Amino acid sequence: WYYRAGRVTRTESREVRHDRADAPLPEFAAAQAAAARPWVLVAEGGDEEAAAVARDLGRSASLREEVRGWRIFEVAPSRGER
């Protein structure tokens, strides 16, 4: 999953499509709340984007790596906590 400028896009190849998005982050986070396994979200942007991830995914998202403006978050399955 790729997050940029408030939108989340599913990527299935190395190419990220900037011309479409699957959902705004809050809507996407709500839909992913029932995920059974951990998943990864790659976010591009600065502190504003990281704050949005923290706000919308809560403590389930942990920063795993940050490289050249890209942040990789591992998101644990929801257990009803935020």
Side-chain angles (χ1 to χ4, degrees), residues 14-36:
R14 293 178 184 252
E15 180 180 341
V16 174
R17 293 185 53 191
H18 295 284
D19 61 335
R20 73 166 181 83
D22 294 331
L25 185 58
E27 181 182 316
F28 178 80
Q32 286 294 108

Side-chain angles (χ1 to χ4, degrees), residues 11-76:
T11 59
E12 295 185 19
S13 68
R14 293 178 184 252
E15 180 180 341
V16 174
R17 293 185 53 191
H18 295 284
D19 61 335
R20 73 166 181 83
D22 294 331
L25 185 58
E27 181 182 316
F28 178 80
Q32 286 294 108
R37 298 182 308 196
W39 50 280
V40 173
L41 178 74
V42 179
E44 177 185 15
D47 293 335
E48 183 178 319
E49 302 292 340
V53 170
R55 179 190 66 235
D56 295 326
L57 298 178
R59 286 181 270 162
S60 64
S62 58
L63 180 64
R64 291 296 173 207
E65 190 170 350
E66 182 174 356
V67 179
R68 298 181 190 173
W70 295 86
R71 292 182 173 136
I72 301 170
F73 294 89
E74 182 177 329
V75 185

